Amino acid sequence: MKPEILDFLTKKALWVRRETIKIHGIAPETRLASSLSDVEIFVSLYYGKILNFNPKKPKWLGRDRFIISKAHGAISLYPILADFGFFEKSELTRVCQKGSFLGGIPDTQISGFETVNGALGHGLGVACGSAIVLKSKGLKVFVLMGDGELFEGAVWEAVMFAFQHKLGNLVLIIDNNKISMLDYCKNIINLDPLEKKFQAFGWKAVVVDGHNIDKLANSLKDLKADNSDYPKVLIANTVKGKGVSQLENDVLCHVKSLNKEEIARAMEELK
Amino acid sequence: MRDSFIEAVCERMDENKNIFFVTADCGAPALDKLKEDFSDRFINVGIAEQNLINVAAGLALEGCVVYAYAIAPFLTMRAYEQIRQNLSIASQVRPVNVNLIGVGAGMSYVVSGPTHHCFEDIAIMRLMPNMTVFSPSDWKLAADFAGYTIHKSGPKYLRFDGKTLPLIYKDTDNIVLENGFYKLLNGDKVCIISTGYMTHKALKVASEFQNVGVIDVFILKPLNEKLLFEAIKNYRHIITVEETFINNGGLDCLVSKVIRDNRPNIGFDNLGISDKHIFELGNRDYLHKLNGLDEENIKEIIWENNW
């Protein structure tokens, strides 16, 4: 990746983190830590020109589909969508407020979101249905899930289905931040070895540092260009609460809301 | 009725390339032909009802008309959250035409025990916003509904009996499906209101009287309450009969609301399954007798009120 592009994407990631924290200040119910581990994933997909989309025609039939199954962790996508013009930037100042359409868990009433989200473990199966139709049209379906979401049984029904039906246009991204709600995933249901699990199910699996934009964007680009019949999974190793030390070091960060003072400290860190 | 419906869908798949048929490993003679003729639009997801709904939702979001077929209790209860999130909620914001074919309504799978009995589906499916609930009493009505499912968007639950039932509707030309019910017999003082399999029993009982009405309710949601009240307002007594749990959101609750809201002095009895699962074995008539759904009990209520 050219240094100027990497610099551009890095600055965007910083901006997205700061905007996400500002939103959290307005709407403390939002899941901040979950929305910070996937920032580089969103930045790579949108600013890194991996996804085909059209903000003026959000339901343009030629778009790539991006189904965000861990939608509670997609507050960080709000500033990106506003930046591209899916909706007005002023909307970011009234998230979860009366009359706003930007809720604590984004869904398909928001321009740029494909599905209803909230209950976990649904997105991959829905993506399989879309992928069947879109395969012959050369369009890709991306899905974002959290690692804790893999505890849901319906996910594995879809994992098996995708291989059976040769859904090579399906790219699953796992935000592998290793923390669920109450504990580290390994202490609840150990998912390791995750890469081998997917390989055993017939998927092509790639592991990447989920905060290294250069490697992340290149991996996503390669997976999108790969027209083999294998469904693909990108396991992005991330840090829950990335960029905010108060969250990074707390196993209970999923449910943690920052107060004004803590937000000020976080903003100091993210300069 | 399952096969006649599938045959009707199959006929339409030839001209409508957007129709997909998805099954959770459930078969039918009519499905063999569909599978052969339209292998690219037939999907067997395996015994995986949750994925059945999710895949169906994904297909529908891409503009397809989808039929998702499974055993009724597993379809409605194993995958309830998938139906709620990806069909009921989603269809309020985006077009989602998914038609859930649940086979094995009520006591269809009589000897398979309480896991295969399906007494909850009417209530729990009616509960969901944006849902249509269809419960036909014969195959002709079921087949007629196929055209309706293609043109009316939104999620629909089609509750089919698991057994072959005799024909009730010799001619459906006069039936307006959207009305949701049909007066099979006009009566004087007492009327039986039923759905699905129980309409056959209602007709049998009524045939022993000269003046007992029978109304077959085949769309339990949305219900045209005003029209139903017009149909029952002159009766002295109403009896609902259904193979579902009573007093918990089934046909009886739907009818009692219409009575309560309009003419509370109409007498009312609701026959169905009380608040317990059925472990007893025997044929359908035997289980009906154990639960007060037998002909003698219905007749007794008629005699008490038919004066």
Side-chain angles (χ1 to χ4, degrees):
Chain A
M1 184 179 284
K2 289 180 183 172
E4 60 269 27
I5 295 175
L6 181 60
D7 183 54
F8 167 73
L9 295 177
T10 305
K11 282 178 179 161
K12 279 294 181 189
L14 180 66
W15 174 77
V16 169
R17 280 207 165 79
R18 289 179 61 84
E19 290 299 309
T20 304
I21 292 168
K22 281 188 208 167
I23 292 170
H24 181 71
I26 299 163
E29 308 90 341
T30 52
R31 297 295 191 206
L32 180 58
S34 299
S35 297
L36 292 175
S37 56
D38 51 20
V39 168
E40 281 78 9
I41 295 170
F42 290 140
V43 167
S44 299
L45 286 169
Y46 283 84
Y47 296 105
K49 298 180 179 173
I50 307 292
L51 289 180
N52 283 330
F53 59 90
N54 182 350
K56 301 297 171 206
K57 292 180 181 171
K59 293 289 187 283
W60 167 52
L61 292 176
R63 73 193 185 280
D64 292 318
R65 310 304 194 255
F66 182 29
I67 292 173
I68 302 160
S69 202
K70 59 157 284 185
H72 62 277
I75 303 305
S76 44
L77 190 53
Y78 286 170
I80 296 174
L81 293 178
D83 197 24
F84 276 104
F86 280 89
F87 47 81
E88 294 292 323
K89 275 188 180 170
S90 59
E91 292 293 338
L92 299 176
T93 62
R94 21 184 242 130
V95 173
C96 292
Q97 310 302 305
K98 187 179 175 185
S100 173
F101 55 84
L102 299 174
I105 297 175
D107 58 48
T108 188
Q109 69 167 333
I110 303 170
S111 180
F113 283 89
E114 298 283 352
T115 51
V116 171
N117 312 294
L120 295 173
H122 293 217
L124 190 61
V126 175
C128 284
S130 289
I132 286 171
V133 177
L134 299 177
K135 195 178 174 186
S136 61
K137 298 174 182 171
L139 297 174
K140 308 285 177 172
V141 182
F142 290 79
V143 185
L144 177 67
M145 289 175 51
D147 53 341
E149 191 176 358
L150 297 174
F151 297 155
E152 291 280 6
V155 171
W156 299 95
E157 293 181 7
V159 167
M160 292 186 281
F161 179 91
F163 173 68
Q164 179 71 25
H165 290 271
K166 299 184 170 64
L167 298 180
N169 59 332
L170 183 65
V171 181
L172 168 63
I173 304 163
I174 296 174
D175 176 9
N176 192 29
N177 62 33
K178 302 171 195 69
I179 296 176
S180 189
M181 185 117 82
L182 291 184
D183 206 342
Y184 292 99
C185 290
K186 67 180 180 186
N187 295 337
I188 303 168
I189 300 287
N190 192 352
L191 293 161
D192 290 333
L194 193 52
E195 183 187 7
K196 286 183 179 169
K197 275 194 174 74
F198 274 94
Q199 286 168 342
F201 278 96
W203 284 52
K204 177 174 180 177
V206 174
V207 182
V208 70
D209 176 347
H211 298 302
N212 183 324
I213 291 179
D214 190 4
K215 290 181 179 170
L216 186 62
N218 277 323
S219 298
L220 286 166
K221 196 176 164 188
D222 290 346
L223 288 175
K224 187 177 179 184
D226 183 344
N227 287 320
S228 66
D229 280 342
Y230 300 104
K232 287 100 189 165
V233 58
L234 181 73
I235 300 167
N237 287 322
T238 58
V239 175
K240 197 157 180 170
K242 176 72 176 176
V244 178
S245 58
Q246 305 158 77
L247 298 173
E248 282 188 23
N249 299 314
D250 187 351
V251 70
L252 292 175
C253 64
H254 184 91
V255 290
K256 188 168 181 180
S257 291
L258 301 187
N259 60 32
K260 278 186 182 174
E261 192 183 287
E262 290 166 328
I263 285 174
R265 241 188 298 155
M267 294 299 262
E268 276 299 308
E269 286 182 322
L270 291 166
K271 280 188 171 173
Chain B
M1 60 178 72
R2 173 199 60 191
D3 283 271
S4 60
F5 181 83
I6 293 173
E7 280 166 12
V9 170
C10 196
E11 282 170 18
R12 286 161 174 84
M13 284 180 82
D14 201 23
E15 60 192 45
N16 188 335
K17 309 295 181 199
N18 269 335
I19 298 176
F20 272 78
F21 199 103
V22 193
T23 175
D25 208 28
C26 289
L31 206 50
D32 295 339
K33 184 179 184 312
L34 186 151
K35 184 181 174 182
E36 197 179 311
D37 292 352
F38 305 105
S39 59
D40 56 332
R41 287 181 281 143
F42 170 84
I43 301 169
N44 184 352
V45 300
I47 309 165
E49 291 81 6
Q50 298 173 80
N51 204 40
L52 172 82
I53 302 302
N54 286 344
V55 168
L59 291 166
L61 287 175
E62 299 303 333
C64 300
V65 176
V66 189
Y67 296 87
Y69 167 33
I71 295 173
F74 311 141
L75 174 72
T76 54
M77 287 174 259
R78 181 62 163 260
Y80 195 64
E81 189 190 78
Q82 280 76 17
I83 296 170
R84 176 176 181 264
Q85 175 159 313
N86 300 314
L87 304 184
S88 170
I89 300 176
S91 64
Q92 197 159 314
V93 192
R94 294 187 60 181
V96 175
N97 192 349
V98 173
N99 302 285
L100 307 170
I101 305 169
V103 172
M107 290 182 194
S108 299
Y109 298 126
V110 60
V111 297
S112 297
T115 57
H116 283 61
H117 297 159
C118 194
F119 304 146
E120 302 92 340
D121 58 341
I122 290 179
I124 64 174
M125 298 309 278
R126 273 185 66 219
L127 186 58
M128 280 202 245
N130 308 310
M131 185 68 66
T132 296
V133 178
F134 177 61
S135 171
S137 53
D138 80 359
W139 59 265
K140 201 166 180 57
L141 205 53
D144 276 11
F145 202 67
Y148 182 84
T149 58
I150 290 173
H151 301 298
K152 181 178 162 44
S153 189
K156 301 166 216 83
Y157 172 55
L158 286 57
R159 178 184 198 263
F160 290 168
D161 204 86
K163 298 287 186 290
T164 304
L165 302 178
L167 198 63
I168 289 177
Y169 295 93
K170 290 192 178 67
D171 183 357
T172 52
D173 290 348
N174 296 326
I175 293 179
V176 181
L177 280 177
E178 286 82 356
N179 286 352
F181 66 90
Y182 191 74
K183 286 189 276 184
L184 289 168
L185 287 177
N186 284 315
D188 181 12
K189 298 180 179 66
V190 179
C191 181
I192 306 171
I193 302 181
S194 55
T195 188
Y197 177 87
M198 292 310 293
T199 296
H200 295 265
K201 185 158 271 190
L203 284 171
K204 196 173 173 194
V205 169
S207 70
E208 296 185 27
F209 298 83
Q210 298 300 316
N211 60 348
V212 171
V214 173
I215 291 175
D216 179 33
V217 179
F218 46 79
I219 295 182
L220 293 120
K221 182 178 185 173
L223 176 74
N224 189 334
E225 293 186 11
K226 198 176 167 187
L227 210 59
L228 183 61
F229 178 67
E230 284 301 313
I232 65 172
K233 67 181 181 185
N234 293 323
Y235 286 106
R236 180 185 295 165
H237 200 87
I238 300 292
I239 307 167
T240 57
V241 291
E242 58 189 312
E243 279 184 337
T244 61
F245 290 127
I246 51 172
N247 302 315
N248 281 293
L251 174 69
D252 58 336
C253 293
L254 182 154
V255 174
S256 69
K257 180 185 180 299
V258 171
I259 295 172
R260 193 176 62 241
D261 288 352
N262 294 283
R263 215 199 101 192
N265 59 340
I266 295 180
F268 182 64
D269 273 290
N270 58 336
L271 304 181
I273 317 301
S274 59
D275 195 25
K276 67 178 178 59
H277 293 287
I278 298 174
F279 282 89
E280 291 86 350
L281 292 171
N283 65 21
R284 214 160 172 171
D285 282 338
Y286 175 68
L287 295 192
H288 282 180
K289 191 168 178 57
L290 291 181
N291 290 277
L293 277 168
D294 54 305
E295 289 165 33
E296 287 309 311
N297 193 40
I298 301 170
K299 280 189 249 179
E300 203 162 299
I301 296 171
I302 293 171
W303 284 323
E304 281 173 16
N305 295 283
N306 201 19
W307 45 269

